[in-house]
Amino acid sequence: MKPILEVENLKMYYSTKLGYVKAVDGISFVLNEGESLGLVGESGCGKTTTSMAIMRLLAENAEILSGHIYFKGKDLLKLNNEEMNKVRWAGISMIFQAAMNSLNPVYKVGDQIIEAIITHEPNVTFEEARERVVNLYKLVGLDPKRIDNYPHEYSGGMKQRAIIAMSLSCNPDMIIADEPTTALDVIVQDMILKEMSRIQKKLNMSMIYISHDIAVIAEVAEKIGIMYAGKLVELSDSVTIFKRPAHPYTIGLMSSFPSVKGEKKELVTIPGEPPNLLNAPDSCRFAPRCPFATKECLEKEPPYEEIEPNHFIACFHPQNLRKQVNEYAKG
Amino acid sequence: MPKVEMANATDVVLKVENLKKFFPVRKGVFSRAKSFLHAVDDISFEIKRGEVLALVGESGCGKTTTGKTLVKLYEPTGGKIKFLDRDVTDLRSDVDKKWFHSKSQMIFQDPFESLNPRKTIFDIVSEPMNIQNKGNLKYREEKTMEILKRVGISPPNAFLWRYPHELSGGQRQRVAIARALVMNPEFVVADEPTSMLDVSIRTQVMKLMMDLISDMNMSFLYITHDFAVARYMSDYISVMYLGKMVEYGKTEEIIQNPLHPYTKALISSVPVPDPEFKRKSIQIKGGIGKAIDPLPRCRFYDRCLLAMDICAKKEPPLLDVGSGHKVACFLYDKKEK
């Protein structure tokens, strides 16, 4: 498998009057062609900031202190604005959080997608673009007759489908979907997730799904990265993450999630709250909430290492943890 | 309507009979309402002391309207609400209203909107005691500290004079819970109290509520769209669809053995946190509509793959199919089949 996106030691801080907010603090991961990666974490853990850094759509006070983002071998952080514009939409496109509310209410939905196509590919004529929209509508399961409707005539699920169609309009190699189903009802969410997985496999596209919901990620992603307070704390294939999690935060997340399937297990709570990232200390950020933290964890930062093939973790005690953790999860 | 069987009368805290809440739909500002949105349409149930009933359904199914009507934030259009053996459907006198509102409370979904940003935590939590003229200032302060400590805001005296914006989402929701519980209510409506919270905080708040319910022996109506949360929080589940109660039963019974085609579709659509589990979802047609002047037929008729002729002619009644499991569907109605 060929890597399509390589993020290396990316550090992105927001500079404020009070100091640096360490929103993304030294994360690294590789996404291969045709692969789907899920980034999971709580609000403020840096998952959206990571994707905004990849798209280079950062706020003015954001500073990238170090790191590289290689997309097909090119470092995106070294491109000028014009070159970057060519990567956006045609190379990497993004489905933003609550994107279905971002459709312009006074333009027809189809015209908005045509506009996106013509802006990025000036050689395409209006008729060709319209033809492409018809095909995209069929691909995402929308009736092509609806092209000339306005957004208010669409239901929530239909708007989300239109947004997916728009993200596919310039044949990108990779899509970042930030909470693509969060505002939708379960039945619609289920249909949209199925549709996205199907399209991803059909077009052999690379995907990054961002969500706070591990159940959603479990259904769509082959690889899962768990983020906590600006750090990537664990990364592996989805089965390993769910069956043999090694980081205490991952274990906590897994056992605090209610499910409708299987036995009704006692839910485990993670004590405390995520830390403030303003001038965050260089120690393990989960240590204050971690039941297994030692003195070392409060003083030094655990390195992000591969503890077994394709299983990365940032924790000082992953090996001897496993036994304790099983007991902890059992109660 | 099927009769709700009478249990030990003193045990029943809340009894709802044929509750209806319609909203007028006006075409223009000055025109008379010609049609009505049937947000809650003829539902009946009861909640016993210490029992949690989860009201589950998609957005727009009338679950929040039901909750708000039960704590009298809306006046019901029809039906009866009996609370502690008293008819509270029409509360006229101030004495009656005060009595009712001291015993029934609501916890809202969004703790970022439900707390007044200009008031301190003490003002917010002690306000019910103010309104009810309970105790002097010292008593109110002690009581506020006690309940804040109970909901996990500690040390409470460090928080009394802070404002909501200084608190995290989880802490705010704890304050909202403290405000609802400070008068020791008998009945509480909680409208999606954890849906705005982060995963690790959500479990904390769920556990806190479970502890409080059993400690204070309250009756709870827990409104949620999430079956997984309902499974952990409730003793009974009631599924709503477009203003109608389509299924009711013991929580595990509904989760393991749903009967109504809508409940089946809903439960089968819930994502499962297990990548090896191959979930098969049951398909239904279309999306949820609006119950504006609905026809006298099954509200789910348009979307049901198992619909029969009778479903278009009558509304299915909510019938007991054994051991308290009730379903409103002609598939299970032996007389009609």
Side-chain angles (χ1 to χ4, degrees):
Chain A
M1 273 203 280
K2 244 172 74 188
I4 183 160
L5 183 83
E6 291 164 90
V7 176
E8 265 175 31
N9 194 28
L10 181 70
K11 268 191 191 174
M12 203 241 57
Y13 295 175
Y14 289 108
S15 97
T16 66
K17 277 183 200 154
L18 301 169
Y20 278 125
V21 174
K22 302 181 176 177
V24 174
D25 203 4
I27 70 165
S28 310
F29 62 87
V30 176
L31 179 69
N32 291 317
E33 271 177 14
E35 203 173 47
S36 57
L37 167 74
L39 285 181
V40 190
E42 297 176 75
S43 44
C45 73
K47 47 193 199 305
T48 299
T49 305
T50 305
S51 58
M52 290 304 205
I54 295 171
M55 296 297 279
R56 292 233 336 247
L57 294 171
L58 290 168
E60 265 177 26
N61 65 337
E63 279 177 41
I64 294 180
L65 276 85
S66 73
H68 302 280
I69 300 169
Y70 295 106
F71 175 66
K72 292 178 158 178
K74 255 189 301 183
D75 191 347
L76 296 183
L77 299 179
K78 295 215 169 75
L79 300 183
N80 62 29
N81 271 340
E82 212 172 294
E83 289 167 324
M84 189 61 212
N85 257 340
K86 283 183 188 148
V87 175
R88 292 189 194 121
W89 229 241
I92 311 173
S93 71
M94 185 158 174
I95 298 169
F96 293 94
Q97 202 165 349
M100 57 184 201
N101 301 327
S102 66
L103 289 169
N104 190 331
V106 297
Y107 287 103
K108 292 170 184 165
V109 178
D111 287 351
Q112 299 185 42
I113 304 177
I114 291 169
E115 188 193 351
I117 297 172
I118 292 177
T119 310
H120 288 273
E121 297 175 32
N123 300 329
V124 176
T125 64
F126 182 84
E127 281 69 32
E128 283 167 354
R130 203 180 153 87
E131 185 59 40
R132 201 189 283 181
V133 176
V134 169
N135 290 330
L136 286 169
Y137 264 49
K138 284 182 194 151
L139 181 68
V140 298
L142 280 172
D143 184 353
K145 281 185 211 137
R146 295 290 219 140
I147 286 177
D148 291 322
N149 284 153
Y150 289 92
H152 75 268
E153 296 170 277
Y154 279 42
S155 69
M158 288 164 70
K159 280 188 228 173
Q160 197 61 29
R161 282 174 201 262
I163 289 290
I164 295 169
M166 195 189 275
S167 72
L168 293 166
S169 62
C170 298
N171 303 315
D173 302 302
M174 185 186 140
I175 292 186
I176 302 174
D178 189 358
E179 306 267 10
T181 59
T182 300
L184 303 172
D185 274 317
V186 267
I187 292 176
V188 186
Q189 163 173 293
D190 187 41
M191 289 193 280
I192 296 283
L193 289 177
K194 286 217 168 82
E195 209 69 66
M196 289 179 72
S197 299
R198 187 181 61 80
I199 292 168
Q200 187 235 337
K201 290 206 178 79
K202 192 175 166 194
L203 305 178
N204 193 32
M205 224 163 21
S206 313
M207 285 290 274
I208 296 182
Y209 288 96
I210 292 173
S211 181
H212 66 281
D213 189 334
I214 56 167
V216 165
I217 291 296
E219 302 222 335
V220 290
E222 299 153 51
K223 229 169 156 180
I224 297 178
I226 309 282
M227 289 191 73
Y228 183 77
K231 302 261 184 198
L232 195 56
V233 294
E234 190 163 3
L235 176 77
S236 191
D237 61 279
S238 58
V239 177
T240 307
I241 290 283
F242 276 89
K243 302 292 167 183
R244 294 184 292 118
H247 195 283
Y249 177 65
T250 315
I251 295 158
L253 266 192
M254 299 296 155
S255 34
S256 68
F257 221 84
S259 171
V260 290
K261 281 283 168 296
E263 257 178 83
K264 188 173 155 182
K265 281 178 292 194
E266 181 77 7
L267 295 183
V268 176
T269 51
I270 307 172
E273 296 192 2
N276 187 347
L277 295 181
L278 184 69
N279 299 323
D282 285 330
S283 57
C284 175
R285 299 222 171 125
F286 187 62
R289 302 175 76 185
C290 180
F292 314 107
T294 58
K295 210 171 149 234
E296 193 183 15
C297 308
L298 292 161
E299 283 165 359
K300 278 194 291 182
E301 196 173 336
Y304 179 69
E305 287 171 335
E306 193 166 13
I307 52 163
E308 58 188 337
N310 291 319
H311 189 176
F312 295 86
I313 175 174
C315 179
F316 282 119
H317 319 288
Q319 261 78 18
N320 50 21
L321 255 185
R322 199 158 287 151
K323 216 180 86 203
Q324 295 177 48
V325 154
N326 286 336
E327 283 161 15
Y328 176 73
K330 273 179 206 150
Chain B
M1 270 315 289
K3 262 245 158 105
V4 184
E5 71 263 298
M6 279 290 282
N8 189 354
T10 52
D11 256 337
V12 178
V13 171
L14 186 86
K15 191 170 159 84
V16 179
E17 284 169 28
N18 308 82
L19 185 73
K20 285 181 187 158
K21 177 67 193 170
F22 298 170
F23 293 102
V25 183
R26 290 194 167 84
K27 286 266 150 61
V29 186
F30 298 110
S31 63
R32 279 258 211 94
K34 291 200 185 82
S35 29
F36 289 89
L37 173 74
H38 293 216
V40 178
D41 199 355
D42 201 358
I43 68 171
S44 307
F45 60 88
E46 59 180 36
I47 305 179
K48 296 201 187 84
R49 191 175 301 282
E51 204 173 81
V52 183
L53 172 68
L55 217 49
V56 189
E58 289 177 282
S59 46
C61 73
K63 52 193 197 303
T64 298
T65 306
T66 306
K68 285 191 172 171
T69 311
L70 292 182
V71 292
K72 306 298 299 278
L73 291 176
Y74 288 145
E75 286 302 318
T77 310
K80 242 188 202 172
I81 305 169
K82 264 182 149 181
F83 180 62
L84 297 172
D85 285 336
R86 277 175 71 171
D87 189 340
V88 295
T89 324
D90 288 303
L91 288 172
R92 291 286 158 83
S93 73
D94 283 353
V95 181
D96 287 346
K97 278 185 188 163
K98 268 194 171 174
W99 171 80
F100 177 74
H101 290 297
S102 73
K103 303 233 175 262
S104 69
Q105 282 295 325
M106 184 152 181
I107 300 166
F108 296 92
Q109 176 171 17
D110 188 348
F112 289 85
E113 286 183 8
S114 69
L115 303 180
N116 188 332
R118 292 171 181 233
K119 286 190 171 178
T120 62
I121 303 305
F122 172 71
D123 288 339
I124 291 168
V125 178
S126 65
E127 196 177 2
M129 293 186 283
N130 260 340
I131 294 168
Q132 299 282 348
N133 269 328
K134 209 173 169 212
N136 56 16
L137 192 64
K138 191 161 172 278
Y139 170 84
R140 286 177 199 166
E141 219 176 286
E142 276 168 13
K143 194 84 186 146
T144 305
M145 302 252 270
E146 187 191 311
I147 192 79
L148 283 177
K149 202 170 169 204
R150 185 64 193 84
V151 298
I153 300 276
S154 68
N157 48 2
F159 284 88
L160 279 185
W161 311 111
R162 289 202 201 173
Y163 289 88
H165 74 264
E166 299 173 74
L167 271 57
S168 68
Q171 285 173 332
R172 283 182 208 215
Q173 198 58 293
R174 286 171 197 267
V175 169
I177 293 170
R179 171 179 61 184
L181 302 187
V182 72
M183 294 293 293
N184 289 318
E186 307 252 359
F187 170 62
V188 175
V189 173
D191 187 2
E192 305 252 20
T194 61
S195 69
M196 301 294 288
L197 305 176
D198 265 319
V199 189
S200 71
I201 309 298
R202 184 174 77 179
T203 329
Q204 291 174 6
V205 174
M206 279 167 67
K207 280 212 156 173
L208 171 69
M209 282 190 291
M210 284 191 255
D211 287 350
L212 289 167
I213 291 166
S214 67
D215 283 4
M216 299 172 76
N217 207 14
M218 285 179 288
S219 306
F220 233 72
L221 184 75
Y222 196 94
I223 298 171
T224 180
H225 67 280
D226 189 336
F227 266 102
V229 171
R231 186 182 186 198
Y232 278 86
M233 288 302 302
S234 66
D235 306 305
Y236 289 87
I237 286 180
S238 156
V239 183
M240 279 187 79
Y241 184 77
L242 289 183
K244 287 281 181 191
M245 191 184 278
V246 296
E247 191 158 0
Y248 173 92
K250 284 214 171 80
T251 297
E252 273 306 298
E253 167 76 9
I254 299 278
I255 298 279
Q256 306 291 352
N257 182 28
L259 295 176
H260 197 283
Y262 178 63
T263 317
K264 283 184 182 173
L266 263 187
I267 292 183
S268 73
S269 300
V270 179
V272 175
D274 180 351
E276 286 178 324
F277 185 83
K278 291 282 163 275
R279 188 168 54 86
K280 269 225 168 85
S281 42
I282 296 161
Q283 297 294 319
I284 52 174
K285 294 182 279 187
I288 192 164
K290 273 196 179 129
I292 297 175
D293 296 336
L295 297 167
R297 64 181 190 191
C298 178
R299 300 259 158 105
F300 192 58
Y301 177 74
D302 295 329
R303 300 177 72 188
C304 187
L305 293 175
L306 305 168
M308 307 174 289
D309 293 342
I310 176 129
C311 306
K313 289 177 195 143
K314 303 207 267 190
E315 277 184 44
L318 190 67
L319 291 181
D320 196 329
V321 290
S323 59
H325 191 157
K326 293 174 193 165
V327 57
C329 179
F330 286 119
L331 287 172
Y332 304 97
D333 192 339
K334 289 189 189 92
K335 262 189 298 174
E336 300 287 352
K337 244 189 146 175

